[in-house]
Every structure is written in C-alpha cells, then in structure tokens.
Amino acid sequence: MPTKLDKVLYTAHAHTTGGREGQSASDDGKLSVTLAPPKELGGNGNGTNPEQLFAAGYSACFMGAMKHVAGLKKITVPADASIDASVDIGPIPAGFGIAAQLKISLPGLDRAVAQDLVDAAHGVCPYSNATRGNIEVTLTLV
C-alpha cells in the first residue's frame, strides 16, 4: 500500500514536451533542460536524460537526509562530504527498469558513526522511501 503524506510541505512542478527527446522546465524557471537519449540508447547524447536527473536528485536528497539526521544526532557532516550517484537503465520483463548506486564519502568521520548516519538517512530520505522495495539501491560508504 502506498505511503500517504501527512501534510504537503512543497510541490514541485515541471512541464515536459517531447519525452526523452524534448524539453523540460520548472514553473519557476529555475530548471530548464534539453532532453536527449544517451548514445548508449541510440540517441545523440546532446542533452540530459531522466537517469542523470534522477541521479542528481537522489544524491542531493540523500545528502540533505544525512544532514537532517546528523543534526538530530548532534553530529557534524564534513564540509567536503560528497555522493557519487549512478542510475542504470535496462530491460525487465515488463519493459524497462532502473537501479541506483550511491557512493557516499564522509571524510574524517569515524567509519562506524558514518555508517550509522548513512543507514539512518536511508530510513528518512524521500527518494529512499520511494524506491524501497521497487528498485535495487546500493549504498556504499567509501
């Protein structure tokens, strides 16, 4: 059963034309991208694609979740913390699917503390909650 929001805090809006070979823009004008399939999928690669946008969104959201959890735990996320996200696309029996990998770097943080932070963030991150049980997600502390 889908998880229902207790309260809507913000709603993002985007208008897309042309699908994977088109344009997408947010209603506030802060995002405007040309979309094109990557060469690996038969496109010209002259634009971004949904997988890149998902990788950027998931990694940014996960970093925010780590900072939120760190504040609750009275931990400081290192200023040079980073996440390298990868999103794969490939065939599944019912069409196409994706898988996501996040490589999380928390330099200078004790490894056990860092792992606890990653695990706790995975429990509260909206992208993690949306994908849990739906796609393969791999989190690696580097």
Side-chain angles (χ1 to χ4, degrees):
M1 173 161 17
T3 302
K4 186 164 176 54
L5 298 177
D6 293 334
K7 178 181 175 183
V8 174
L9 300 176
Y10 168 76
T11 301
H13 300 277
H15 180 76
T16 302
T17 58
R20 285 184 172 268
E21 296 180 45
Q23 302 285 324
S24 190
S26 60
D27 65 338
D28 62 5
K30 293 180 181 179
L31 174 72
S32 180
V33 294
T34 297
L35 301 166
K39 291 179 181 181
E40 296 85 350
L41 295 180
N44 63 22
N46 290 334
T48 192
N49 59 67
E51 293 71 36
Q52 289 172 325
L53 295 170
F54 193 90
Y58 197 171
S59 58
C61 190
F62 199 88
M63 183 69 75
M66 285 195 306
K67 289 180 177 183
H68 172 75
V69 170
L72 297 175
K73 293 178 174 280
K74 309 287 191 253
I75 299 168
T76 300
V77 173
D80 55 349
S82 63
I83 300 174
D84 290 319
S86 302
V87 174
D88 305 321
I89 184 170
I92 60 172
F96 290 89
I98 61 172
Q101 302 86 39
L102 301 181
K103 292 182 180 175
I104 303 145
S105 175
L106 296 166
L109 208 55
D110 175 80
R111 186 149 186 94
V113 171
Q115 187 64 59
D116 181 61
L117 184 60
V118 167
D119 294 343
H122 190 46
V124 301
C125 174
Y127 275 68
S128 292
N129 287 330
T131 59
R132 187 170 291 109
N134 297 314
I135 69 169
E136 184 178 0
V137 173
T138 305
L139 305 175
T140 306
L141 183 59
V142 294

